[in-house]
Amino acid sequence: MGGFKLESRPYVLNPKYSTPTSLPLYFYFGYQILQESNLMEDCGPVLLLEALKANRCDYVRVLLDQGVNFDPKNLPELYEQTVSCKDCKFKKEDCLHMQWILKQIEENHAKKVCHKYRSKVLKMNKKKKEDQQKYLADKVEELHNPVAKSAKGLCRKILRYKEFTKNNNPTEDESIDENISNILLWALFANRKELAEIYWLRGKNHLLTGLVCSAILKKLSKKANNVKEQILASDLEEHSKFFEQRCLDIMDRMYEENTKQAIDLMDTEADIWGIHSSPLTFAYENFMYDVVAHTCSQKNMNRQWYNNLAPDLKPFLKSAVTKPGKFFTAPLTKYVFNYMMFFTMLVMYSAFVLTSISTKYYVQDIARVFEYYVYFWGAGDFIEELISCFGCLEARGRSHRSYYSRMKRYLYDFWNIVDLLSYALLISALFVRHFFIDETFTISRRMFALSLLVMYMRFLEVFLIHRKLGPTLIMIKEMLKDLLGFLFIALFVVLGVGIYYHANLWPDHQTIWSGDWTNWRIWTIIYYPYWQLYAELNLEHLDGSDQSDCTNVTSVWESDTSINRCPQQDWTVQAVAAIYLLFSNLLLVNLVIAMFSFTFERVQENSEKLWRFERYTVINDYDWRIPSPINLVFLPYRFFCCPTRDGCCLHKCRGMCCKNAVKKEKKNKEENETYQKNFQKITALKIHNKI
């Protein structure tokens, strides 16, 4: 039986064509002999390997029920027979199979997963027949650990997480769980839906594992779609939805049976394939809107938002007297206080901008107080945004993603972009104010006014937490995306029409880019067709009849770009303008209105789900955030004494802090781990049996 695995299995790359005769007859006879001889546990892994290759889920279930465990040494062969391409040359040409998709993600890991075993088999074929089996057994002994490690590395690379390592040696039960998780990961890469479900049910931490499986399959689907493999992409997408729906069913059932444990489970950390996170955090980071909007998640958010106080306004305010510590550290309190300080800053900033800042008139001391308060507030708020982006001082950091992934996730949020824009404008205005000094300070005043305008736009974020106004802001944000796409299309139309206008009204104009940038001719080219989008026709200028306030002397308008050149009369300009107005006002403008209507309906349909997702962003942010500029006072303490994302302090002398944090975390984890594992497993099996 050992030598049988050296033969090719042509059906394993396409398990859809598996039949009851896909496995040879020896499987049935071998099963009977091993069962009668009580050798099933020792020799059954050979049968299990062949059943996994052939995608025979019924055989796999029977063998697992008989206590047969997969031999980790067979993992390289399993990947080589199912994920690796048989007829494709990995180095010389590309293909459209899963192996090539994995190669695009991480070439080194893909080689270890798919081709190390094949290279050993090719070398084995050159040896004598009696030495082949011994040679292969020795080499596979060296391969199974690197293959399992590379598969997990591919998983983390796909989802962009840093590796979380454990220092303790695994027990026997942990080794069995590790073996099950390795086969589950293989089933995801091989896209074996039923086998993935079988091993998912036999594993642990079903909720977080299911979410990770769903995220991996979704990423693989996008990668497959990028290489134009649409059938594989849709199949992987469907598989991803299956796992997400299973997780939602588990959350529904757990909430019905034990609400408190279901809520606690959403914030319980676990380690899946080197990814350390909690279900709620992982779902948020991977944009699983249904999971974040679930009742279990929302209950967990409410508990975090009110800091375990009564989730009602009056009892919450009364707790300021009875439980001041919890009240003032609650994210809701910090959120309200932060925007009170923000509004105060806006009032001071407005008073400062409205006051002349030139050296001749800037003599009011109160204006200087307003100016420097804005600087201090901006510095404190900018520090909090940096902490939010990199997570370096988060007290309850649940994520172990790389800094690049955190930054990418941070920049994905529209409001974070507005925040960074306001900081950039404020810093630019500050430099212009103090390093480019003139008598009027015109440029710096414009910069300060523009920064203030963006600050007012930032303040709209305060309404994001409101149940009715929040979805409205989400609609505005989504419509801005549509507007940017429309402007990209309109830009080329405006440029084309503007160049036609200019070429016929002012022919042979040689000074397009000369003079000050405010007098560049490109602004005249864009001016007329752009304002015609808003029904400003300007026909008196386009027909060339307006000869006032201009000159026909070439030397005059060439030497001074601020003097206008007189236009020439050309009837084709009005004809093109008529066609352009017909196209722009009836087609382009109505197109963007239709896009807005579609976006409105889409957001309105999912408004509750999207609002809850954005609400978690705010809650997660203000769980550790301190309002500016008060945070400047606590910054040294936070930097040297507060626990970091890894649970330890930055200062080496604070070892007791780390020890207490780790001890407390370990105690809480031991209390809940056993119950929650059994709770998840029983719930998952109930749902499976019901289906």
Side-chain angles (χ1 to χ4, degrees):
M1 293 175 64
F4 201 89
K5 64 183 179 182
L6 302 181
E7 299 182 8
S8 175
R9 303 288 186 273
Y11 52 80
V12 295
L13 279 178
N14 200 341
K16 294 180 180 179
Y17 296 102
S18 297
T19 65
T21 59
S22 295
L23 286 178
L25 193 59
Y26 83 85
F27 186 94
Y28 174 74
F29 292 130
Y31 179 80
Q32 296 294 333
I33 292 172
L34 295 179
Q35 191 175 32
E36 294 173 1
S37 305
N38 294 324
L39 297 174
M40 184 63 69
E41 185 175 352
D42 297 331
C43 302
V46 178
L47 301 179
L48 182 58
L49 174 64
E50 293 299 324
L52 289 172
K53 287 181 183 179
N55 198 30
R56 292 308 304 264
C57 302
D58 47 354
Y59 292 168
V60 172
R61 289 192 183 94
V62 171
L63 291 172
L64 292 177
D65 291 338
Q66 292 295 325
V68 177
N69 295 320
F70 182 80
D71 189 353
K73 298 177 183 178
N74 293 328
L75 190 62
E77 181 182 356
L78 186 61
Y79 270 100
E80 197 275 336
Q81 288 283 338
T82 54
V83 180
S84 177
C85 303
K86 296 294 183 183
D87 302 323
C88 302
K89 296 180 180 180
F90 191 67
K91 295 182 179 179
K92 296 182 179 180
E93 61 183 21
D94 295 330
C95 66
L96 297 179
H97 298 121
M98 180 60 73
Q99 170 196 341
W100 187 62
I101 296 172
L102 297 179
K103 176 190 171 185
Q104 308 307 310
I105 300 170
E106 177 57 54
E107 185 172 355
N108 293 330
H109 287 321
K111 285 182 178 180
K112 290 180 182 179
V113 167
C114 297
H115 279 270
K116 289 292 184 180
Y117 180 83
R118 183 187 300 182
S119 64
K120 303 301 180 185
V121 173
L122 293 176
K123 291 181 180 179
M124 176 204 67
N125 293 333
K126 299 179 182 179
K127 296 182 176 294
K128 295 181 181 179
K129 194 163 187 178
E130 56 271 14
D131 298 334
Q132 288 181 355
Q133 192 65 33
K134 184 177 182 304
Y135 172 83
L136 187 60
D138 294 339
K139 294 302 179 182
V140 167
E141 182 71 25
E142 304 172 1
L143 280 178
H144 72 274
N145 283 329
V147 168
K149 187 176 180 180
S150 297
K152 295 177 183 178
L154 269 173
C155 170
R156 293 189 299 272
K157 184 70 176 180
I158 291 170
L159 299 178
R160 298 188 181 277
Y161 279 84
K162 295 189 297 183
E163 183 178 4
F164 178 79
T165 56
K166 295 181 179 179
N167 297 325
N168 56 337
N169 295 323
T171 62
E172 183 178 355
D173 292 338
E174 289 177 346
S175 299
I176 295 175
D177 292 334
E178 181 76 9
N179 194 11
I180 292 175
S181 67
N182 288 335
I183 301 301
L184 174 58
L185 186 55
W186 160 81
L188 298 180
F189 289 145
N191 197 26
R192 303 288 180 86
K193 299 179 182 179
E194 295 184 18
L195 290 176
E197 182 183 10
I198 291 172
Y199 277 89
W200 173 68
L201 289 171
R202 293 178 179 271
K204 62 178 183 178
N205 296 318
H206 294 78
L207 183 56
L208 182 58
T209 303
L211 295 176
V212 174
C213 292
S214 177
I216 292 173
L217 291 167
K218 188 176 295 184
K219 292 287 185 181
L220 289 176
S221 174
K222 292 181 180 178
K223 292 290 183 182
N225 191 58
N226 291 339
V227 297
K228 307 302 183 291
E229 186 65 15
Q230 283 83 8
I231 296 178
L232 178 60
S234 61
D235 201 21
L236 290 169
E237 179 70 21
E238 183 182 2
H239 196 180
S240 172
K241 291 179 180 178
F242 283 160
F243 266 106
E244 186 174 357
Q245 187 58 46
R246 289 166 187 157
C247 293
L248 292 172
D249 292 339
I250 287 179
M251 294 167 67
D252 288 336
R253 182 62 66 88
M254 288 192 304
Y255 187 78
E256 293 174 2
E257 296 186 1
N258 193 325
T259 303
K260 183 180 182 304
Q261 288 294 334
I263 296 172
D264 292 338
L265 181 61
M266 299 306 299
D267 215 18
T268 302
E269 299 176 25
D271 176 26
I272 308 296
W273 298 314
I275 298 173
H276 189 79
S277 187
S278 63
L280 182 54
T281 302
F282 185 87
Y284 170 73
E285 290 175 340
N286 291 275
F287 301 99
M288 297 181 179
Y289 292 92
D290 291 322
V291 177
V292 176
H294 194 271
T295 306
C296 292
S297 303
Q298 292 301 307
K299 291 286 186 180
N300 186 283
M301 292 181 203
N302 290 334
R303 187 168 62 182
Q304 184 178 346
W305 183 236
Y306 293 97
N307 201 12
N308 293 317
L309 296 174
D312 194 17
L313 184 59
K314 290 183 179 179
F316 181 75
L317 294 176
K318 290 180 180 178
S319 62
V321 179
T322 58
K323 299 178 180 178
K326 284 192 172 184
F327 176 81
F328 288 105
T329 57
L332 174 57
T333 305
K334 292 188 286 185
Y335 178 81
V336 174
F337 189 72
N338 179 72
Y339 278 97
M340 290 172 61
M341 301 294 290
F342 193 178
F343 182 76
T344 304
M345 186 277 303
L346 283 179
V347 174
M348 293 184 178
Y349 200 1
S350 302
F352 161 65
V353 170
L354 292 173
T355 304
S356 176
I357 61 173
S358 64
T359 55
K360 185 177 180 180
Y361 298 101
Y362 189 53
V363 294
Q364 299 180 14
D365 293 333
I366 188 64
R368 296 181 185 273
V369 174
F370 291 165
E371 178 183 3
Y372 287 105
Y373 177 81
V374 171
Y375 296 157
F376 279 110
W377 181 92
D381 200 59
F382 183 62
I383 290 173
E384 293 298 318
E385 289 297 325
L386 290 178
I387 296 174
S388 176
C389 181
F390 296 104
C392 50
L393 293 180
E394 288 186 14
R396 298 181 68 248
R398 301 281 182 173
S399 173
H400 287 262
R401 303 195 84 174
S402 62
Y403 286 122
Y404 170 77
S405 301
R406 292 179 64 87
M407 187 183 303
K408 186 177 179 181
R409 177 66 179 81
Y410 176 84
L411 295 176
Y412 181 83
D413 193 344
F414 168 78
W415 297 105
N416 291 334
I417 298 296
V418 177
D419 294 344
L420 293 179
L421 179 60
S422 67
Y423 301 138
L425 291 173
L426 182 59
I427 293 172
S428 301
L430 179 62
F431 273 90
V432 173
R433 166 85 166 87
H434 293 282
F435 292 99
F436 295 93
I437 301 175
D438 58 16
E439 184 177 352
T440 59
F441 286 91
T442 303
I443 299 178
S444 60
R445 184 172 62 252
R446 291 172 180 171
M447 295 294 294
F448 277 118
L450 185 59
S451 172
L452 178 61
L453 173 61
V454 178
M455 290 288 186
Y456 272 102
M457 302 302 295
R458 275 189 63 188
F459 191 77
L460 292 176
E461 192 177 0
V462 69
F463 304 112
L464 196 63
I465 204 72
H466 195 269
R467 183 175 290 274
K468 293 184 178 180
L469 296 178
T472 303
L473 289 177
I474 296 174
M475 290 178 188
I476 294 174
K477 180 187 71 173
E478 294 298 322
M479 288 179 181
L480 281 176
K481 297 179 182 179
D482 297 336
L483 184 61
L484 290 177
F486 166 77
L487 291 178
F488 183 77
I489 297 173
L491 175 64
F492 291 93
V493 178
V494 168
L495 280 175
V497 174
I499 290 174
Y500 185 89
Y501 289 171
H502 195 277
N504 291 277
L505 291 174
W506 300 279
D508 301 324
H509 198 93
Q510 301 296 320
T511 57
I512 300 295
W513 305 102
S514 61
D516 185 66
W517 69 274
T518 58
N519 295 321
W520 285 351
R521 208 60 186 172
I522 188 65
W523 311 126
T524 305
I525 293 175
I526 297 175
Y527 179 83
Y528 293 108
Y530 175 76
W531 289 109
Q532 283 179 336
L533 288 173
Y534 311 108
E536 291 289 339
L537 303 182
N538 293 307
L539 295 179
E540 65 277 6
H541 297 283
L542 296 179
D543 61 7
S545 60
D546 187 6
Q547 300 291 323
S548 61
D549 196 20
C550 63
T551 181
N552 285 316
V553 181
T554 304
S555 59
V556 174
W557 58 261
E558 282 186 347
S559 60
D560 188 358
T561 55
S562 62
I563 299 177
N564 294 325
R565 178 187 174 189
C566 291
Q568 297 184 8
Q569 293 185 0
D570 192 328
W571 65 271
T572 62
V573 172
Q574 290 185 323
V576 170
I579 299 174
Y580 168 68
L581 290 172
L582 182 69
F583 175 77
S584 61
N585 285 272
L586 294 183
L587 181 61
L588 290 181
V589 175
N590 285 283
L591 174 64
V592 74
I593 293 174
M595 293 168 61
F596 288 163
S597 300
F598 175 77
T599 301
F600 176 84
E601 294 175 359
R602 176 174 58 85
V603 175
Q604 185 69 23
E605 183 180 356
N606 302 299
S607 59
E608 188 71 14
K609 190 188 306 182
L610 295 173
W611 174 74
R612 289 182 175 184
F613 188 86
E614 294 291 342
R615 181 172 179 258
Y616 180 70
T617 304
V618 177
I619 295 174
N620 193 46
D621 190 18
Y622 282 88
D623 185 43
W624 52 266
R625 192 183 185 108
I626 299 177
S628 176
I630 300 174
N631 65 319
L632 296 176
V633 178
F634 294 96
L635 187 62
Y637 171 80
R638 296 172 72 191
F639 187 79
F640 287 101
C641 300
C642 289
T644 62
R645 291 170 54 201
D646 298 325
C648 291
C649 306
L650 298 176
H651 197 268
K652 294 182 180 179
C653 298
R654 297 287 183 173
M656 187 60 67
C657 169
C658 297
K659 190 179 296 185
N660 292 336
V662 173
K663 187 183 294 185
K664 184 178 179 181
E665 183 71 22
K666 185 177 180 180
K667 182 180 179 181
N668 294 334
K669 188 175 181 180
E670 289 177 351
E671 290 177 353
N672 297 326
E673 187 176 25
T674 303
Y675 180 83
Q676 288 181 348
K677 284 181 182 178
N678 296 331
F679 189 34
Q680 292 182 70
K681 192 174 188 68
I682 293 172
T683 306
L685 290 174
K686 283 182 179 179
I687 296 173
H688 175 71
N689 293 333
K690 182 179 179 181
I691 294 174

